[in-house]
Amino acid sequence: AVLKKRLVKLVVNFLFYFRTDEAEPIGALLLEHCRITKEEENVFSISFIEEPERKYCFECASEEQCQEWVEALKRASYEFLRRSLIFYRNEIQKMTGKDPLEQYGISEETRFQLGTHQQ
Amino acid sequence: MKLNERSLAFYATCDSPADNSGFLYKRGERHTAYHRRWFVLKGNMLFYFEERESREPVGVIVLEGCNVELCDSAEDFAFAIRFGGTKSRTYVLAAESQAAMESWVKSLSRASFDYMRLVVRELEKQLEEMRWGLAGGCGGSRESPGSCKPKQCPERLPALPTIPPKENGCAVWNNALGVGQPPDTSGCGGNDDEGTPRPPPLPPRRRVLNGEAVVESPSTFCQLHERYSREVARLRQDWLEKQRGPRP
């Protein structure tokens, strides 16, 4: 496979990629239900749960940069953020007996519920 | 622009719970006729399907940087998703009842990644403040031995903040992971509403004895302090050994 130089931008849960001299992205990857794998030196890959053999490979300028990206991409999904929120909410509730989301008026919001959401 | 459409379709149709779903009327782009579509909101993505049973969405709206507002329309219970930018369109949707409209406007307004991140950061901050103690009771150095990733934890939990050093009887324990999991967070008694310091909370870690969960209750403060200090020392030792790597 040929490596092409791209400008890559992580914006919320999307990974955009650009040709280095263009302002509009060529494409984007939605980073949900994906696996970030450290491959050989300077290289990481992204694969998706519905097509695990297909890997999007990225070669970085250095091992350090590679680690940075792996860490950032592992935390990039909306679902990761949601799990963090539920976890912190639960922790705080255990420690204080109070639901920290009450002050924002969002404790009943479906997206923040522990366990399965209402359908 | 290319998109990993199959992954999007998977996200839309997989059995992870939706944040909202239901029928809405969507006004067409070129013609102003409304089409009834099945909408599924997951995270910051609003998917729409031709039918409820459709296996693939016909479209998706990414809910970042948008405003959700009520709008004037001949159609009842109409609301709009507006994006900034010259090339962006406004999506006009209509619900089938007042209640449905309100429910959708609420869930769509809170759907963005940015919003979620804001709330998470706020809770993170609250938790951090609670762990360190608001009155500085747990004081001490904020320097930590470095990130301690709880490898034994189930993968679905995010990495927790680092273990702060033992200071003034602050304990290290874990509230959420239950039996057999290594503690990796610390907490101190915070203050209750009147500002008087609360006693350190009971260690929530349960030891299983003969198949029954036994909750240890502290006796005197000295004994509690002693017990925690042994635990912390042991954890630090474990952590240091891990840092050094496996012994030959």
Side-chain angles (χ1 to χ4, degrees):
Chain A
V2 179
L3 285 177
K4 298 172 202 164
K5 188 166 188 180
R6 296 281 178 257
L7 175 66
V8 174
K9 265 197 202 178
L10 175 60
V11 182
V12 298
N13 50 347
F14 281 91
L15 190 66
F16 291 95
Y17 48 98
F18 303 70
R19 287 198 189 89
T20 50
D21 52 353
E22 288 176 7
E24 291 293 312
I26 318 168
L29 296 174
L30 171 67
L31 299 168
E32 299 294 335
H33 297 295
C34 62
R35 170 174 293 220
I36 315 295
T37 314
K38 171 85 177 67
E39 306 280 354
E40 66 265 23
E41 196 177 355
N42 295 352
V43 178
F44 68 88
S45 70
I46 306 176
S47 57
F48 294 88
I49 198 172
E50 77 285 350
E51 208 182 358
E53 353 49 72
R54 182 176 180 177
K55 290 186 172 187
Y56 296 82
C57 286
F58 295 83
E59 186 179 303
C60 307
S62 69
E63 186 57 30
E64 195 187 342
Q65 191 191 40
C66 188
Q67 285 298 341
E68 254 179 54
W69 274 100
V70 169
E71 288 312 305
L73 292 169
K74 280 184 172 169
R75 285 162 174 69
S77 72
Y78 190 100
E79 296 305 321
F80 177 87
L81 212 52
R82 192 208 301 272
R83 286 198 301 274
S84 310
L85 183 143
I86 290 173
F87 181 83
Y88 292 139
R89 180 191 189 186
N90 196 29
E91 281 283 278
I92 293 172
Q93 187 141 28
K94 280 187 181 164
M95 285 169 88
T96 64
K98 273 191 248 167
D99 178 0
L101 296 185
E102 255 172 44
Q103 59 186 288
Y104 305 116
I106 53 176
S107 31
E108 298 312 305
E109 184 75 15
T110 318
R111 69 179 64 246
F112 304 134
Q113 299 317 312
L114 297 160
T116 52
H117 303 170
Q118 301 151 12
Q119 201 83 34
Chain B
M1 191 188 76
K2 268 191 281 189
L3 213 53
N4 53 332
E5 283 177 13
R6 212 185 298 190
S7 309
L8 255 93
F10 178 83
Y11 186 44
T13 54
C14 75
D15 52 16
S16 69
D19 296 308
N20 206 342
S21 58
F23 285 106
L24 291 170
Y25 293 91
K26 179 172 163 295
R27 194 167 75 184
E29 245 180 300
R30 276 166 290 169
H31 314 288
T32 52
Y34 282 80
H35 298 282
R36 193 173 187 247
R37 298 274 180 253
W38 176 255
F39 279 79
V40 173
L41 174 63
K42 278 194 187 181
N44 56 348
M45 317 280 285
L46 182 62
F47 297 97
Y48 51 98
F49 299 76
E50 187 146 344
E51 311 273 343
R52 185 171 180 168
E53 306 77 28
S54 302
R55 299 181 63 203
E56 263 188 9
V58 298
V60 63
I61 303 169
V62 180
L63 299 164
E64 293 296 331
C66 61
N67 282 319
V68 183
E69 47 198 52
L70 304 177
C71 72
D72 278 327
S73 170
E75 200 71 21
D76 285 333
F77 317 122
F79 58 97
I81 304 174
R82 252 178 244 288
F83 291 87
T86 46
K87 291 192 228 164
S88 304
R89 64 174 278 194
T90 295
Y91 295 85
V92 180
L93 303 171
E96 290 173 326
S97 69
Q98 179 71 17
M101 182 197 71
E102 283 172 10
S103 155
W104 275 104
V105 169
K106 238 195 265 184
S107 47
L108 292 171
S109 316
R110 291 169 184 154
S112 75
F113 194 97
D114 280 338
Y115 176 84
M116 181 64 106
R117 190 158 46 189
L118 217 81
V119 180
V120 171
R121 286 210 177 126
E122 182 55 38
L123 294 190
E124 244 176 346
K125 200 177 73 163
Q126 276 185 33
L127 201 55
E128 194 71 20
E129 281 170 2
M130 284 164 62
R131 283 178 177 153
W132 284 100
L134 295 170
C138 296
S141 157
R142 262 188 169 253
E143 264 175 45
S144 46
S147 172
C148 177
K149 302 250 185 274
K151 292 196 182 71
Q152 299 91 326
C153 302
E155 238 205 334
R156 56 195 162 84
L157 290 178
L160 294 167
T162 57
I163 301 178
K166 179 191 79 133
E167 225 28 82
N168 298 335
C170 285
V172 175
W173 71 70
N174 160 34
N175 269 339
L177 302 178
V179 174
Q181 297 288 356
D184 53 5
T185 63
S186 95
C188 300
N191 291 341
D192 60 23
D193 287 342
E194 283 96 9
T196 51
R198 275 194 256 114
L202 290 174
R205 188 204 273 196
R206 292 161 186 273
R207 302 265 155 75
V208 177
L209 211 63
N210 300 328
E212 280 180 286
V214 172
V215 180
E216 291 184 23
S217 51
S219 38
T220 65
F221 179 78
C222 287
Q223 285 170 327
L224 190 71
H225 185 93
E226 229 350 82
R227 202 182 77 76
Y228 286 158
S229 75
R230 281 199 301 270
E231 200 172 294
V232 170
R234 190 169 44 80
L235 284 163
R236 271 189 76 82
Q237 189 60 27
D238 285 347
W239 183 87
L240 285 168
E241 275 169 17
K242 274 194 201 108
Q243 291 302 299
R244 280 189 223 115
R247 286 169 195 243

